[in-house]
Amino acid sequence: EVVGPRAARRQSANEARIGRELARARQHHRKLAARVAELDTPALHGSRDLLARLKKEKLGAADRVAALVGALQAVRGAGHAAAAGHALGGGAFGTVLLGRGLLSGRSVAVKVSDARAGGGGGGTE
């Protein structure tokens, strides 16, 4: 897919926003992990309810971090087509695969050039 300047700016703004959210989520997870480690001692086992609640909250924070990492990877990869591997055709300069545009979700053709045939750098175009 061709991404215009407006879409690229929107994409970089989303990447920055998700990056900030990810930093906050990681910091929250670290604080919870430290608090759990502090309470999870034999001397403080009287506060089991608090410890259980904090462990549950820590797991939720870890899930949030994982979701944000996935979202950030998706935004960084947006604008590129994901090749599904189904060959539509080919020739002397490479193969054309069926892919899915990550921004639009529509089917797209991805040309994989054969470097030996002089069709480009061997990557996708």
Side-chain angles (χ1 to χ4, degrees):
E1 288 180 15
V2 177
V3 179
R6 186 178 302 167
R9 282 193 303 272
R10 185 173 48 246
Q11 183 176 323
S12 64
N14 285 341
E15 185 177 345
R17 180 187 53 80
I18 292 171
R20 287 189 302 271
E21 286 181 40
L22 180 58
R24 283 193 299 268
R26 283 181 172 154
Q27 182 180 23
H28 181 63
H29 181 264
R30 281 192 299 270
K31 285 181 181 179
L32 287 171
R35 185 76 173 126
V36 165
E38 176 185 314
L39 290 176
D40 200 11
T41 60
L44 296 175
H45 274 292
S47 56
R48 286 205 184 277
D49 292 339
L50 175 62
L51 183 61
R53 185 181 58 80
L54 285 173
K55 284 183 176 182
K56 187 175 182 179
E57 190 176 342
K58 180 184 160 208
L59 285 174
D63 287 345
R64 176 75 176 144
V65 167
L68 286 168
V69 166
L72 189 59
Q73 289 173 343
V75 167
R76 286 182 176 162
H80 302 293
H86 177 70
L88 295 176
F93 290 103
T95 306
V96 178
L97 302 174
L98 177 64
R100 179 142 325 266
L102 295 178
L103 287 177
S104 66
R106 297 187 310 195
S107 294
V108 296
V110 180
K111 179 182 174 189
V112 181
S113 300
D114 186 2
R116 292 170 290 163
T124 60
E125 293 181 14

